Amino acid sequence: MMEKLFNPSSIAVVGASADPSKIGNVVLRNLKGSGYRGNVYPVNPRGGEIMGWKVYKSIPDLPDGVDLAVIVLPAHIAVDAVEECGKKGIPFVIPIAGGFGETGEEGKKREERLKEIVQKHGTRIIGPNTVGIYVPWSGVNTALTVPERSSFPPAGDIAFISQSGALGLLTMDAISPLGVGISHFVNLGNRVDLNENELLAYFAGEEHVKSVAMYLETFANGREFMRVAREFTAKKGLVVLKAGRTAKGARAASLHTGALGGADGVVNGALRQVGAVRAYDEVEIIDYARALAYGKPMFGERVGVITTAGGVGVVTTDYIEGSDPGMGLRMADLSEETKKELRKELVPFASVENPVDMTASGDESDYDAAIGALMGDPNVDGIILYALFQTPLVSERLVDIVARWMKEGEKPIVVGVIGGEYSQRMMREFERRKVPVYPSILRTVKALKALKVRGDYLRRVRK
Amino acid sequence: MNDPVEFIRNLGRKALAEHEVKAILKHYGIRVPRYEVLEEYRPVDLRYPLAVKVSSPEVLHKTDVGGVILGVKNEEELKVAVEEIRGKFPGAAVLVEEMEKSGVEVIVGVLRDRDFGLAIMFGIGGIFTEVFRDVTFRVLPIDEDDAEDMLTEIKGRKVLEGFRGIKVDREGLKELLLRVSDMAMDLSDFIEQMDLNPVFVREDGAVVVDAKMVLR
């Protein structure tokens, strides 16, 4: 059923416009720009043609079999248009405009009417007050950002559910230069009908989706979320950025328990109980979602670090071992066999203790040997590898080596790359090969921690 | 108390007196000090020293209003203490308890969350509860793994692992959390918030020293 939303055979755009400054035009341009290959039916009482598409004068005039209708009309007339779509039997409708529950009584009444339409016609509504959906592999893009000013990620493994439209679009724009792909983007908006729980349940069985990133300000239904999330996390990784942490719980706090910041504490507890990783900003949410989509869970807490720069290893060690902020990780004590192997393979002045420092004379075969040694060491549960391209002996071939170990190895690897243009190009290569890669030490360590949170959870539910 | 659910259903008020909460706790196998409830002074079959407290649904924060007298050493002092409480709080019950040997002080709470319903809180208790705010939460019901996670999640986890010769019954503490979970689930239609603070955790188990409960 949800396939008709994410991979519709035809889309109606109600309120389509030939004027490039109008949202009714931007939506059409985005559809075209994303390479949507199904039928597009602009609807506008003036008729005619826009961007080569025939314009229909009204919703009843539309051909049968429209899977998705995007309503670009203002709130006061959007509701009637949604109703007409319902009567027409269109299964999914996205009313984009604001002017609903977020604005007051009048808007709340409009939302009530939308709910009635869902009840009466079985039409499913995304929004209102939403930028809708973006699905790169099917080319559906209902967003209203001007295509010249913002970019959309390519097809990938992460489904991104966002209660906020703007934050979702900004995040997608921001990750595009790295080439991070997403499988679906859904902006819940005012969430009169379709909510995060239903989507999460669907994404659990959707093959494009390897992990879900979720931005929420409120839960549609907390208990239902926990039920669905438990089923989801048994299969795939889930990251939740739950904002509004500092808003006062404002419960009638006659007792201590009520006065100790319960609301956000309970969110923390609930996320732990369902095995979701909590993110705290728009960078972390995608960082963790990439780690969970591409990487293996980390079963244990002992980290082996491979570097060619001593200082990078020292800072990493501090983050891992420091208790404030605590990462719940620790540096592995490498086995004697590993050290022997490393001594044999690496240059004589390399450090064969953890962090393994191959120094600037480390080359690609040293990296290969070091990864192999740590993969085989029973004292190591996960690997942080710094791919530092500033030294002459390391080239793009390192990406292939790491990508191969990602497939063959049984432990997770996360890669840190620090540097400018050349390094950023290498990061895009890692990302293209679905190796979780990060441009700073802290982000690299935190990504591995996300894999550890998932590993801890899986170990518990599987025991 | 035979049936806490029936008791609460028929209560007809929003708050419980401390001795009522403790009777419910006892029903769920949660340790509380040995106590007797007095309408007026009479000799008691308890081991001195004793704590004498007003026990009334109207007085939630007893210490603030002089409703607690600690360290009562003999019958003579008990008589004076009971009369004092009765004088200050006419008509209220007087709770006379054996003083417990102190231990690590923790807080265990139950609250009703808007999104997730009943939840349990655990953390460092006693008079510094609101200074450190070192607490953690789980949605109810919880299982043994959740209880263990809660103990290891707080910043003060070290004091629960034994510290400067202080020994702590971790298993007993986890058992207490699980029993509070059972109790809250049974009373889930009624309970709004509960504070068990302090709970003394010693080598020989966890004892709830003070308890408050309000209903929806």
Side-chain angles (χ1 to χ4, degrees):
Chain A
M1 180 59 190
M2 216 73 98
E3 285 79 37
K4 290 194 170 175
L5 170 62
F6 294 122
N7 191 16
S9 61
S10 46
I11 303 177
V13 178
V14 181
S17 170
D19 177 351
S21 68
K22 295 274 170 61
I23 289 173
N25 185 272
V26 175
V27 169
L28 287 174
R29 273 190 287 154
N30 276 333
L31 271 177
K32 187 149 259 180
S34 296
Y36 176 65
R37 281 192 295 273
N39 303 312
V40 176
Y41 305 132
V43 178
N44 186 309
R46 283 189 214 126
E49 200 174 273
I50 303 175
M51 291 163 68
W53 287 309
K54 182 198 165 188
V55 178
Y56 291 79
K57 289 193 170 166
S58 72
I59 293 166
D61 285 349
L62 285 167
D64 289 337
V66 174
D67 288 335
L68 172 64
V70 184
I71 314 291
V72 198
L73 305 168
H76 67 281
I77 50 175
V79 179
D80 288 335
V82 175
E83 174 112 57
E84 286 184 28
C85 291
K87 282 186 189 147
K88 184 84 188 165
I90 298 174
F92 289 98
V93 182
I94 305 179
I96 284 180
F100 287 87
E102 79 280 10
T103 55
E105 276 315 306
E106 189 82 6
K108 286 206 180 89
K109 277 188 205 141
R110 289 182 189 131
E111 286 192 3
E112 285 312 311
R113 271 200 62 206
L114 289 180
K115 287 178 191 166
E116 284 164 24
I117 294 166
V118 171
Q119 288 296 320
K120 196 166 152 199
H121 299 287
T123 287
R124 304 303 310 269
I125 294 174
I126 297 88
N129 188 22
T130 176
V131 302
I133 65 171
Y134 167 61
V135 188
W137 51 270
S138 71
V140 179
N141 186 354
T142 68
L144 36 74
T145 43
V146 187
E148 298 78 31
R149 295 233 183 138
S150 66
S151 42
F152 289 91
D157 297 348
I158 299 165
F160 185 13
I161 301 168
S162 180
Q163 198 170 355
S164 156
L167 189 75
L169 293 176
L170 296 173
T171 302
M172 287 199 293
D173 192 12
I175 63 175
S176 291
L178 181 57
V180 177
I182 66 157
S183 62
H184 307 72
F185 169 72
V186 183
N187 174 205
L188 299 170
N190 289 11
R191 206 170 46 185
V192 295
D193 179 24
L194 197 75
N195 66 32
E196 67 275 18
N197 299 329
E198 205 171 337
L199 287 169
L200 198 56
Y202 171 72
F203 287 145
E206 215 281 355
E207 58 176 15
H208 295 92
V209 179
K210 301 289 187 287
S211 72
V212 164
M214 198 183 266
Y215 170 81
L216 292 178
E217 285 154 19
T218 56
F219 289 90
N221 178 334
R223 287 270 165 174
E224 175 69 4
F225 168 79
M226 289 185 76
R227 191 186 67 73
V228 175
R230 277 190 167 112
E231 283 179 20
F232 182 88
T233 55
K235 297 181 189 147
K236 301 173 183 181
L238 172 63
V239 186
V240 178
L241 169 50
K242 167 66 177 69
R245 293 185 293 135
T246 49
K248 292 272 185 321
R251 67 190 78 247
S254 50
L255 304 182
H256 266 123
T257 303
L260 287 166
D264 195 60
V266 174
V267 170
N268 256 338
L271 293 180
R272 287 289 300 265
Q273 282 170 288
V274 302
V277 178
R278 187 164 189 179
Y280 289 95
D281 63 29
E282 85 291 357
V283 174
E284 287 186 358
I285 188 173
I286 301 298
D287 275 3
Y288 301 161
R290 287 193 291 130
L292 295 173
Y294 311 153
K296 298 184 169 66
M298 180 164 164
F299 298 107
E301 57 184 11
R302 300 163 306 172
V303 186
V305 178
I306 301 170
T307 180
T308 53
V312 171
V314 177
V315 175
T316 302
T317 306
D318 282 349
Y319 272 126
I320 287 175
E321 292 274 312
S323 60
D324 196 19
M327 289 284 177
L329 300 169
R330 64 188 177 84
M331 292 295 283
D333 295 317
L334 302 183
S335 72
E336 284 310 316
E337 259 157 73
T338 300
K339 289 182 198 169
K340 214 193 299 173
E341 202 178 321
L342 289 171
R343 248 180 239 116
K344 199 173 71 195
E345 299 286 344
L346 305 183
V347 291
F349 43 92
S351 163
V352 299
E353 301 289 334
N354 193 17
V356 178
D357 181 2
M358 305 181 299
T359 78
S361 51
D363 62 14
E364 284 145 4
S365 64
D366 291 340
Y367 268 107
D368 198 9
I371 300 170
L374 296 192
M375 278 287 176
D377 189 328
N379 294 348
V380 174
D381 301 313
I383 298 169
I384 287 177
L385 179 141
Y386 289 102
L388 305 172
F389 292 96
Q390 288 81 353
T391 55
L393 299 175
V394 180
S395 77
E396 202 172 327
R397 239 176 47 80
L398 178 57
V399 179
D400 297 327
I401 292 168
V402 178
R404 174 167 56 74
W405 278 112
M406 285 279 298
K407 273 203 198 75
E408 292 172 5
E410 282 174 4
K411 298 168 187 173
I413 308 177
V414 295
V415 175
V417 175
I418 299 163
E421 269 176 48
Y422 183 84
S423 297
Q424 282 158 18
R425 204 161 70 232
M426 290 302 110
M427 284 186 62
R428 284 196 291 277
E429 279 308 305
F430 276 118
E431 172 61 33
R432 200 174 58 77
R433 305 290 296 273
K434 301 203 167 148
V435 175
V437 62
Y438 303 92
S440 83
I441 295 171
L442 181 56
R443 283 171 67 179
T444 308
V445 176
K446 279 160 57 173
L448 188 64
K449 187 198 166 183
L451 292 173
K452 192 231 172 204
V453 169
R454 175 149 179 76
D456 286 350
Y457 179 77
L458 289 178
R459 210 156 48 169
R460 172 202 283 203
V461 296
R462 285 170 185 173
K463 85 178 176 201
Chain B
M1 180 169 305
N2 293 324
D3 187 347
V5 178
E6 273 312 296
F7 170 77
I8 285 197
R9 192 195 307 280
N10 300 322
L11 193 63
R13 50 183 152 85
K14 293 271 182 199
L16 277 70
E18 184 180 348
H19 68 274
E20 294 167 337
V21 184
K22 287 194 163 155
I24 296 172
L25 292 169
K26 265 170 77 175
H27 177 86
Y28 286 92
I30 295 165
R31 245 171 92 181
V32 299
R34 286 186 64 224
Y35 66 84
E36 291 185 28
V37 181
L38 277 58
E39 301 293 326
E40 55 187 28
Y41 174 74
R42 60 174 167 76
V44 293
D45 181 24
L46 295 170
R47 177 181 45 76
Y48 287 90
L50 300 174
V52 179
K53 311 183 202 174
V54 60
S55 185
S56 157
E58 266 104 60
V59 191
L60 272 178
H61 298 285
K62 302 177 284 283
T63 319
D64 305 349
V65 292
V68 180
I69 300 166
L70 299 175
V72 172
K73 287 191 282 296
N74 51 46
E75 211 163 305
E76 212 169 302
E77 285 187 22
L78 178 63
K79 193 167 182 177
V80 174
V82 170
E83 290 313 320
E84 188 183 327
I85 296 289
R86 286 190 65 215
K88 258 191 212 159
F89 307 96
V94 179
L95 176 62
V96 180
E97 287 184 332
E98 292 184 354
M99 295 272 289
E100 285 288 336
K101 230 175 7 161
S102 73
V104 172
E105 293 189 15
V106 301
I107 180 170
V108 177
V110 169
L111 74 161
R112 186 175 290 278
D113 182 78
R114 192 192 55 195
D115 289 328
F116 293 98
L118 283 185
I120 187 168
M121 181 188 83
F122 165 76
I124 295 300
I127 56 167
F128 293 123
T129 306
E130 296 209 20
V131 178
F132 295 132
R133 303 178 79 87
D134 186 11
V135 292
T136 182
F137 298 81
R138 286 293 183 277
V139 176
L140 286 171
I142 56 167
D143 62 21
E144 265 187 75
D145 288 324
D146 293 322
E148 174 61 32
D149 279 354
M150 293 181 88
L151 263 58
T152 52
E153 224 167 83
I154 58 165
K155 295 190 193 81
R157 68 183 77 83
K158 282 245 153 62
V159 300
L160 303 173
E161 289 164 3
F163 181 75
R164 295 197 165 195
I166 301 170
K167 289 194 178 148
V168 166
D169 179 12
R170 276 179 77 90
E171 293 308 310
L173 179 54
K174 282 196 276 183
E175 188 59 38
L176 173 103
L177 293 176
L178 292 171
R179 288 184 184 193
V180 168
S181 175
D182 288 344
M183 168 182 155
M185 292 316 287
D186 281 359
L187 304 177
S188 62
D189 288 346
F190 312 101
I191 197 164
E192 177 68 27
Q193 259 180 52
M194 181 172 81
D195 268 10
L196 309 180
N197 185 29
V199 177
F200 287 173
V201 193
R202 301 180 306 232
E203 195 173 359
D204 65 339
V207 188
V208 176
V209 175
D210 192 10
K212 302 179 172 77
M213 189 193 291
V214 290
L215 306 178
R216 297 172 90 170

